[in-house]
Amino acid sequence: QIGFGFAYLSAAAILVLIIAGYTSAITRARSAGVVMGGMLALVYGLLYGLVISEDYALLAGSLGLLIVLALVMYLTRRVDWYALASSPRV
């Protein structure tokens, strides 16, 4: 048997590599795979931190969600949502 940390790390690494490789293949852009792999690695890192920290899991999860929400709001600040709703669907 192996410990939880090594098992989690190996499973997360394998999944990140598979999904990043698939993203690179379907988009035909290596940078898309690298970005997707980086984002997934951050998510798995945050989830590992939440699993390990029993006492501060709620605080860490709330701060993580706050950061993600702020990032999404910042990245979509110039999207014209009304123009997207009125455009014809393909």
Side-chain angles (χ1 to χ4, degrees):
Q1 285 188 333
I2 59 175
F4 174 75
F6 185 70
Y8 188 91
L9 175 68
S10 59
I14 290 169
L15 284 173
V16 166
L17 288 174
I18 289 171
I19 294 172
Y22 183 75
T23 302
S24 292
I26 62 170
T27 61
R28 293 187 177 98
R30 184 175 214 145
S31 61
V34 170
V35 169
M36 178 62 80
M39 289 188 329
L40 281 175
L42 285 173
V43 167
Y44 281 122
L46 177 65
L47 289 175
Y48 181 75
L50 289 175
V51 168
I52 288 195
S53 69
E54 298 171 359
D55 296 333
Y56 295 104
L58 182 62
L59 176 64
S62 298
L63 288 176
L65 287 175
L66 177 69
I67 291 169
V68 168
L69 177 63
L71 182 64
V72 168
M73 289 173 69
Y74 178 77
L75 292 175
T76 60
R77 69 191 183 278
R78 295 193 178 135
V79 174
D80 186 5
W81 299 104
Y82 296 107
L84 291 175
S86 64
S87 66
R89 296 187 183 219
V90 178

